[in-house]
Amino acid sequence: MEEYEDSEGFDINYDNVIECKECLGVTRLLAADLKANPYTTVGQFLKNISNADLKILNDIVENHSGIEGDDEVTDPALADVVLIAEMLGRAEDIVSENDEDLMHRVNQFMVMITCENLGRKGLVKVYHDNMSFGDDAGHRIVVKKIDGIDYED
């Protein structure tokens, strides 16, 4: 990723991401997919990633919850989550204009990763079509408790 310039965000060079050996496989694959088809939603991405890739992302989330806008991202694994969140935002035509916007999107994405993980364990129902970084996403049901499951355990 390149630095912000004149409050217009930064550029993502998808070719560089695809070639980056330090990036996670899921990050590189998303870059390749978006290069070929620049539109997707975060819900479609999470619905279609493998269980192994979801586990990798969920492990990163568990180690890095509650990122603030002024926090510096020094962990390469977390940098992948930041990059994936920004690529998915752009796939919805939403660009982070500053660090605060970016970290807000990353936190949203981390919550969605957690929801997807719980959904695959059968603990909640996930509504992938409602998952989005758009302004109206806060008014949609993204995840719902499943009746008959004892959440106390």
Short mmCIF file of all heavy atoms in Angstrom, two decimals, residues 22-29 45-46 49-64 75-82 84 109-110 113-114 116-117 120-121:
data_model
loop_
_atom_site.label_atom_id
_atom_site.label_comp_id
_atom_site.label_asym_id
_atom_site.label_seq_id
_atom_site.Cartn_x
_atom_site.Cartn_y
_atom_site.Cartn_z
N GLU A 22 5.40 -12.40 1.13
CA GLU A 22 5.14 -12.22 2.56
C GLU A 22 3.65 -12.18 2.89
O GLU A 22 3.26 -12.36 4.04
CB GLU A 22 5.80 -10.94 3.08
CG GLU A 22 7.32 -10.98 3.10
CD GLU A 22 7.94 -10.70 1.73
OE1 GLU A 22 7.29 -10.01 0.91
OE2 GLU A 22 9.05 -11.18 1.48
N CYS A 23 2.82 -11.92 1.88
CA CYS A 23 1.37 -11.85 2.10
C CYS A 23 0.79 -13.26 2.25
O CYS A 23 1.31 -14.23 1.68
CB CYS A 23 0.67 -11.16 0.92
SG CYS A 23 0.93 -9.39 0.85
N LEU A 24 -0.29 -13.34 3.01
CA LEU A 24 -1.01 -14.59 3.14
C LEU A 24 -1.58 -15.01 1.79
O LEU A 24 -1.91 -14.16 0.95
CB LEU A 24 -2.16 -14.44 4.13
CG LEU A 24 -1.82 -14.14 5.58
CD1 LEU A 24 -3.08 -13.82 6.37
CD2 LEU A 24 -1.08 -15.32 6.21
N GLY A 25 -1.74 -16.32 1.62
CA GLY A 25 -2.33 -16.82 0.39
C GLY A 25 -3.70 -16.24 0.12
O GLY A 25 -4.04 -15.91 -1.02
N VAL A 26 -4.52 -16.11 1.15
CA VAL A 26 -5.87 -15.57 0.99
C VAL A 26 -5.82 -14.11 0.52
O VAL A 26 -6.66 -13.69 -0.27
CB VAL A 26 -6.70 -15.73 2.29
CG1 VAL A 26 -6.14 -14.91 3.43
CG2 VAL A 26 -8.16 -15.41 2.05
N THR A 27 -4.83 -13.37 0.95
CA THR A 27 -4.67 -11.97 0.53
C THR A 27 -4.30 -11.92 -0.95
O THR A 27 -4.87 -11.14 -1.72
CB THR A 27 -3.58 -11.28 1.36
OG1 THR A 27 -3.86 -11.47 2.75
CG2 THR A 27 -3.50 -9.80 1.05
N ARG A 28 -3.36 -12.75 -1.34
CA ARG A 28 -2.91 -12.78 -2.73
C ARG A 28 -4.03 -13.25 -3.66
O ARG A 28 -4.21 -12.72 -4.75
CB ARG A 28 -1.69 -13.68 -2.84
CG ARG A 28 -0.50 -13.12 -2.05
CD ARG A 28 0.63 -14.08 -1.88
NE ARG A 28 1.21 -14.41 -3.18
CZ ARG A 28 2.04 -15.42 -3.37
NH1 ARG A 28 2.38 -16.20 -2.37
NH2 ARG A 28 2.52 -15.65 -4.56
N LEU A 29 -4.78 -14.25 -3.22
CA LEU A 29 -5.89 -14.76 -4.02
C LEU A 29 -6.98 -13.70 -4.20
O LEU A 29 -7.52 -13.53 -5.29
CB LEU A 29 -6.46 -16.03 -3.39
CG LEU A 29 -7.55 -16.74 -4.17
CD1 LEU A 29 -7.05 -17.17 -5.55
CD2 LEU A 29 -8.03 -17.97 -3.41
N PHE A 45 -17.04 -12.68 0.00
CA PHE A 45 -15.67 -13.10 0.28
C PHE A 45 -15.63 -14.10 1.44
O PHE A 45 -15.05 -15.18 1.32
CB PHE A 45 -14.79 -11.88 0.59
CG PHE A 45 -13.45 -12.23 1.16
CD1 PHE A 45 -12.45 -12.71 0.33
CD2 PHE A 45 -13.18 -12.08 2.51
CE1 PHE A 45 -11.20 -13.04 0.85
CE2 PHE A 45 -11.95 -12.41 3.04
CZ PHE A 45 -10.95 -12.90 2.20
N LEU A 46 -16.28 -13.74 2.55
CA LEU A 46 -16.25 -14.62 3.73
C LEU A 46 -17.00 -15.92 3.49
O LEU A 46 -16.57 -16.98 3.95
CB LEU A 46 -16.81 -13.89 4.95
CG LEU A 46 -15.90 -12.80 5.51
CD1 LEU A 46 -16.62 -12.00 6.59
CD2 LEU A 46 -14.59 -13.37 6.03
N ILE A 49 -14.45 -18.20 1.33
CA ILE A 49 -13.08 -18.58 1.67
C ILE A 49 -13.09 -19.95 2.35
O ILE A 49 -14.10 -20.38 2.91
CB ILE A 49 -12.36 -17.53 2.56
CG1 ILE A 49 -13.00 -17.39 3.94
CG2 ILE A 49 -12.24 -16.21 1.85
CD1 ILE A 49 -12.16 -16.55 4.90
N SER A 50 -11.97 -20.60 2.28
CA SER A 50 -11.85 -21.95 2.85
C SER A 50 -11.86 -21.88 4.38
O SER A 50 -11.59 -20.83 4.97
CB SER A 50 -10.55 -22.61 2.38
OG SER A 50 -9.44 -21.96 2.98
N ASN A 51 -12.16 -23.01 4.99
CA ASN A 51 -12.10 -23.10 6.45
C ASN A 51 -10.69 -22.81 6.95
O ASN A 51 -10.52 -22.18 7.99
CB ASN A 51 -12.55 -24.48 6.92
CG ASN A 51 -14.04 -24.69 6.76
OD1 ASN A 51 -14.82 -23.74 6.71
ND2 ASN A 51 -14.43 -25.94 6.63
N ALA A 52 -9.69 -23.27 6.22
CA ALA A 52 -8.30 -23.03 6.63
C ALA A 52 -7.97 -21.54 6.60
O ALA A 52 -7.36 -21.01 7.54
CB ALA A 52 -7.35 -23.80 5.72
N ASP A 53 -8.39 -20.84 5.54
CA ASP A 53 -8.14 -19.39 5.47
C ASP A 53 -8.93 -18.64 6.54
O ASP A 53 -8.42 -17.68 7.13
CB ASP A 53 -8.48 -18.85 4.08
CG ASP A 53 -7.45 -19.23 3.04
OD1 ASP A 53 -6.29 -19.50 3.41
OD2 ASP A 53 -7.80 -19.26 1.84
N LEU A 54 -10.15 -19.08 6.79
CA LEU A 54 -10.94 -18.45 7.85
C LEU A 54 -10.26 -18.63 9.20
O LEU A 54 -10.20 -17.70 10.00
CB LEU A 54 -12.36 -19.01 7.90
CG LEU A 54 -13.25 -18.43 9.00
CD1 LEU A 54 -13.45 -16.93 8.82
CD2 LEU A 54 -14.59 -19.16 9.03
N LYS A 55 -9.72 -19.80 9.45
CA LYS A 55 -9.02 -20.04 10.72
C LYS A 55 -7.82 -19.12 10.86
O LYS A 55 -7.58 -18.56 11.92
CB LYS A 55 -8.60 -21.50 10.85
CG LYS A 55 -7.87 -21.75 12.17
CD LYS A 55 -7.49 -23.16 12.40
CE LYS A 55 -6.77 -23.44 13.68
NZ LYS A 55 -6.35 -22.38 14.52
N ILE A 56 -7.07 -18.96 9.79
CA ILE A 56 -5.91 -18.06 9.82
C ILE A 56 -6.35 -16.64 10.17
O ILE A 56 -5.78 -15.99 11.05
CB ILE A 56 -5.15 -18.08 8.47
CG1 ILE A 56 -4.47 -19.43 8.28
CG2 ILE A 56 -4.16 -16.92 8.38
CD1 ILE A 56 -3.95 -19.67 6.86
N LEU A 57 -7.39 -16.15 9.48
CA LEU A 57 -7.88 -14.80 9.75
C LEU A 57 -8.45 -14.68 11.16
O LEU A 57 -8.22 -13.68 11.85
CB LEU A 57 -8.93 -14.40 8.71
CG LEU A 57 -8.42 -14.23 7.28
CD1 LEU A 57 -9.57 -13.90 6.34
CD2 LEU A 57 -7.32 -13.19 7.19
N ASN A 58 -9.18 -15.69 11.60
CA ASN A 58 -9.76 -15.65 12.95
C ASN A 58 -8.67 -15.65 14.02
O ASN A 58 -8.79 -14.95 15.04
CB ASN A 58 -10.72 -16.82 13.16
CG ASN A 58 -11.58 -16.63 14.38
OD1 ASN A 58 -12.37 -15.70 14.45
ND2 ASN A 58 -11.40 -17.49 15.36
N ASP A 59 -7.60 -16.41 13.81
CA ASP A 59 -6.48 -16.40 14.76
C ASP A 59 -5.85 -15.01 14.85
O ASP A 59 -5.49 -14.56 15.93
CB ASP A 59 -5.43 -17.43 14.36
CG ASP A 59 -5.88 -18.88 14.59
OD1 ASP A 59 -6.89 -19.09 15.30
OD2 ASP A 59 -5.21 -19.78 14.06
N ILE A 60 -5.73 -14.34 13.72
CA ILE A 60 -5.19 -12.97 13.72
C ILE A 60 -6.12 -12.05 14.49
O ILE A 60 -5.67 -11.24 15.32
CB ILE A 60 -4.99 -12.47 12.27
CG1 ILE A 60 -3.93 -13.31 11.56
CG2 ILE A 60 -4.60 -10.98 12.27
CD1 ILE A 60 -3.89 -13.10 10.06
N VAL A 61 -7.41 -12.18 14.26
CA VAL A 61 -8.40 -11.35 14.95
C VAL A 61 -8.32 -11.56 16.46
O VAL A 61 -8.34 -10.60 17.23
CB VAL A 61 -9.83 -11.66 14.43
CG1 VAL A 61 -10.89 -11.04 15.33
CG2 VAL A 61 -9.99 -11.17 13.00
N GLU A 62 -8.22 -12.81 16.88
CA GLU A 62 -8.16 -13.09 18.31
C GLU A 62 -6.94 -12.47 18.98
O GLU A 62 -6.98 -12.13 20.16
CB GLU A 62 -8.18 -14.60 18.55
CG GLU A 62 -9.54 -15.21 18.31
CD GLU A 62 -9.59 -16.71 18.56
OE1 GLU A 62 -8.54 -17.31 18.88
OE2 GLU A 62 -10.68 -17.28 18.42
N ASN A 63 -5.88 -12.28 18.23
CA ASN A 63 -4.66 -11.68 18.78
C ASN A 63 -4.60 -10.16 18.65
O ASN A 63 -3.69 -9.55 19.20
CB ASN A 63 -3.43 -12.28 18.09
CG ASN A 63 -3.23 -13.73 18.45
OD1 ASN A 63 -3.43 -14.13 19.59
ND2 ASN A 63 -2.84 -14.53 17.48
N HIS A 64 -5.55 -9.56 17.93
CA HIS A 64 -5.48 -8.12 17.66
C HIS A 64 -6.84 -7.44 17.72
O HIS A 64 -7.21 -6.71 16.80
CB HIS A 64 -4.88 -7.86 16.29
CG HIS A 64 -3.48 -8.31 16.15
ND1 HIS A 64 -3.15 -9.57 15.73
CD2 HIS A 64 -2.31 -7.68 16.40
CE1 HIS A 64 -1.84 -9.69 15.71
NE2 HIS A 64 -1.30 -8.57 16.11
N ASP A 75 2.59 -5.85 12.99
CA ASP A 75 2.53 -7.30 12.80
C ASP A 75 2.16 -7.59 11.34
O ASP A 75 1.12 -7.13 10.85
CB ASP A 75 1.48 -7.89 13.74
CG ASP A 75 1.32 -9.39 13.59
OD1 ASP A 75 1.99 -10.00 12.73
OD2 ASP A 75 0.54 -9.97 14.36
N PRO A 76 2.99 -8.34 10.62
CA PRO A 76 2.70 -8.64 9.22
C PRO A 76 1.35 -9.34 9.02
O PRO A 76 0.67 -9.09 8.02
CB PRO A 76 3.84 -9.56 8.78
CG PRO A 76 4.94 -9.29 9.74
CD PRO A 76 4.28 -8.91 11.04
N ALA A 77 0.95 -10.19 9.95
CA ALA A 77 -0.34 -10.88 9.82
C ALA A 77 -1.49 -9.87 9.91
O ALA A 77 -2.45 -9.94 9.14
CB ALA A 77 -0.49 -11.94 10.90
N LEU A 78 -1.38 -8.93 10.84
CA LEU A 78 -2.41 -7.90 10.95
C LEU A 78 -2.40 -7.00 9.73
O LEU A 78 -3.46 -6.55 9.27
CB LEU A 78 -2.21 -7.08 12.23
CG LEU A 78 -3.24 -5.99 12.47
CD1 LEU A 78 -4.65 -6.57 12.54
CD2 LEU A 78 -2.90 -5.23 13.75
N ALA A 79 -1.23 -6.76 9.17
CA ALA A 79 -1.15 -5.95 7.94
C ALA A 79 -1.96 -6.60 6.82
O ALA A 79 -2.59 -5.90 6.02
CB ALA A 79 0.31 -5.76 7.54
N ASP A 80 -1.96 -7.93 6.76
CA ASP A 80 -2.78 -8.63 5.76
C ASP A 80 -4.26 -8.36 5.99
O ASP A 80 -5.00 -8.12 5.04
CB ASP A 80 -2.51 -10.13 5.80
CG ASP A 80 -1.39 -10.56 4.88
OD1 ASP A 80 -0.22 -10.44 5.29
OD2 ASP A 80 -1.68 -10.99 3.76
N VAL A 81 -4.71 -8.39 7.24
CA VAL A 81 -6.12 -8.12 7.54
C VAL A 81 -6.47 -6.69 7.14
O VAL A 81 -7.53 -6.45 6.56
CB VAL A 81 -6.43 -8.39 9.03
CG1 VAL A 81 -7.82 -7.91 9.40
CG2 VAL A 81 -6.27 -9.87 9.35
N VAL A 82 -5.58 -5.76 7.41
CA VAL A 82 -5.80 -4.36 7.01
C VAL A 82 -5.91 -4.26 5.49
O VAL A 82 -6.84 -3.62 4.96
CB VAL A 82 -4.67 -3.46 7.55
CG1 VAL A 82 -4.77 -2.05 6.97
CG2 VAL A 82 -4.68 -3.42 9.08
N ILE A 84 -6.65 -6.68 3.30
CA ILE A 84 -7.88 -7.36 2.83
C ILE A 84 -9.08 -6.45 3.06
O ILE A 84 -9.94 -6.31 2.17
CB ILE A 84 -8.06 -8.71 3.54
CG1 ILE A 84 -7.00 -9.70 3.09
CG2 ILE A 84 -9.46 -9.28 3.26
CD1 ILE A 84 -6.96 -10.99 3.91
N PHE A 109 -14.42 -5.44 9.78
CA PHE A 109 -14.03 -6.69 9.13
C PHE A 109 -13.70 -7.76 10.17
O PHE A 109 -14.09 -8.92 10.03
CB PHE A 109 -12.84 -6.45 8.19
CG PHE A 109 -12.40 -7.65 7.41
CD1 PHE A 109 -13.31 -8.42 6.70
CD2 PHE A 109 -11.07 -8.00 7.37
CE1 PHE A 109 -12.90 -9.52 5.96
CE2 PHE A 109 -10.64 -9.10 6.64
CZ PHE A 109 -11.56 -9.86 5.93
N MET A 110 -13.04 -7.37 11.23
CA MET A 110 -12.70 -8.32 12.29
C MET A 110 -13.95 -8.90 12.94
O MET A 110 -14.02 -10.10 13.23
CB MET A 110 -11.78 -7.66 13.32
CG MET A 110 -10.40 -7.35 12.76
SD MET A 110 -9.42 -6.33 13.88
CE MET A 110 -8.33 -7.57 14.55
N ILE A 113 -15.38 -11.41 10.49
CA ILE A 113 -14.62 -12.65 10.51
C ILE A 113 -15.08 -13.51 11.69
O ILE A 113 -15.30 -14.71 11.56
CB ILE A 113 -13.10 -12.38 10.60
CG1 ILE A 113 -12.58 -11.78 9.29
CG2 ILE A 113 -12.33 -13.65 10.97
CD1 ILE A 113 -11.17 -11.22 9.38
N THR A 114 -15.24 -12.88 12.85
CA THR A 114 -15.70 -13.60 14.04
C THR A 114 -17.10 -14.18 13.81
O THR A 114 -17.36 -15.34 14.16
CB THR A 114 -15.69 -12.66 15.26
OG1 THR A 114 -14.36 -12.18 15.45
CG2 THR A 114 -16.17 -13.37 16.51
N GLU A 116 -18.48 -15.00 10.93
CA GLU A 116 -18.37 -16.10 9.98
C GLU A 116 -17.84 -17.35 10.67
O GLU A 116 -18.32 -18.46 10.44
CB GLU A 116 -17.46 -15.73 8.81
CG GLU A 116 -17.29 -16.82 7.78
CD GLU A 116 -18.56 -17.18 7.03
OE1 GLU A 116 -19.50 -16.37 6.98
OE2 GLU A 116 -18.60 -18.30 6.47
N ASN A 117 -16.86 -17.18 11.55
CA ASN A 117 -16.31 -18.30 12.29
C ASN A 117 -17.39 -18.95 13.16
O ASN A 117 -17.53 -20.18 13.18
CB ASN A 117 -15.13 -17.83 13.15
CG ASN A 117 -14.39 -18.96 13.79
OD1 ASN A 117 -14.01 -19.93 13.14
ND2 ASN A 117 -14.19 -18.87 15.09
N ARG A 120 -19.88 -20.89 10.94
CA ARG A 120 -19.40 -22.19 10.46
C ARG A 120 -19.37 -23.23 11.56
O ARG A 120 -19.39 -24.43 11.28
CB ARG A 120 -18.02 -22.04 9.82
CG ARG A 120 -18.11 -21.27 8.51
CD ARG A 120 -16.92 -21.44 7.66
NE ARG A 120 -16.96 -20.51 6.55
CZ ARG A 120 -16.04 -20.44 5.62
NH1 ARG A 120 -15.00 -21.27 5.65
NH2 ARG A 120 -16.14 -19.57 4.65
N LYS A 121 -19.35 -22.78 12.80
CA LYS A 121 -19.43 -23.71 13.93
C LYS A 121 -20.88 -24.04 14.28
O LYS A 121 -21.15 -24.82 15.17
CB LYS A 121 -18.74 -23.11 15.15
CG LYS A 121 -17.24 -23.02 15.01
CD LYS A 121 -16.61 -22.39 16.23
CE LYS A 121 -15.10 -22.34 16.09
NZ LYS A 121 -14.46 -21.70 17.25
#
